[in-house]
Amino acid sequence: MTLSTLSPRQFAELCNQGKRIDLIDVRTPVEYQEVHVGISRNVPLDRLDPGKLMAARNGSTIEPLYVICQSGNRGQQACEKFLKAGFPNVVNIEGGTTACVDAGLPVVRGKKVISLE
């Protein structure tokens, strides 16, 4: 199975079609709070359970699950977790939230957070 990806522009076009889109953001809650794509929900990578998440989708395992992070790397890791668990219908958004902001997708901005690292 190969990893499916979508560019931010393709994702924006998909959003504009008015279809229901299931998008998870696998960044930390702090990163998510700072800025996220409006339709996303936060499911941090370190707490990601592919089986539980798919079961909670009310049998909609056929519909694609879109995954986003900051730049694409954690999104790819999350997609690989889903693939290993037997769920091939996941799509990573290339370039992550940063690329979506650059592409003009609607985002929600919270407080700017300073990392303690």
Side-chain angles (χ1 to χ4, degrees):
M1 287 184 272
T2 58
L3 181 64
S4 297
T5 61
L6 208 59
S7 74
R9 192 165 312 286
Q10 291 169 314
F11 185 66
E13 288 170 13
L14 189 68
C15 291
N16 290 334
Q17 291 173 6
K19 294 179 183 173
R20 188 184 170 289
I21 294 171
D22 195 2
L23 174 66
I24 62 168
D25 187 320
V26 296
R27 295 176 299 153
T28 65
V30 170
E31 290 174 295
Y32 181 80
Q33 184 181 354
E34 190 177 311
V35 62
H36 62 270
V37 174
I39 62 170
S40 68
R41 59 193 162 105
N42 189 219
V43 181
L45 182 61
D46 63 349
R47 292 186 230 145
L48 184 65
D49 182 332
K52 258 189 190 172
L53 194 117
M54 286 301 194
R57 294 178 78 202
N58 299 326
S60 114
T61 55
I62 297 165
E63 292 297 317
L65 174 67
Y66 298 90
V67 180
I68 196 166
C69 64
Q70 186 66 34
S71 64
N73 294 332
R74 283 176 282 178
Q76 182 175 340
Q77 291 172 34
C79 287
E80 288 167 0
K81 275 187 164 186
F82 280 102
L83 292 173
K84 284 180 187 164
F87 301 105
N89 60 328
V90 291
V91 180
N92 191 31
I93 307 302
E94 294 171 358
T97 303
T98 303
C100 288
V101 168
D102 292 345
L105 263 78
V107 293
V108 175
R109 292 187 185 274
K111 294 180 192 149
K112 186 80 174 154
V113 180
I114 299 170
S115 173
L116 297 177
E117 295 176 0

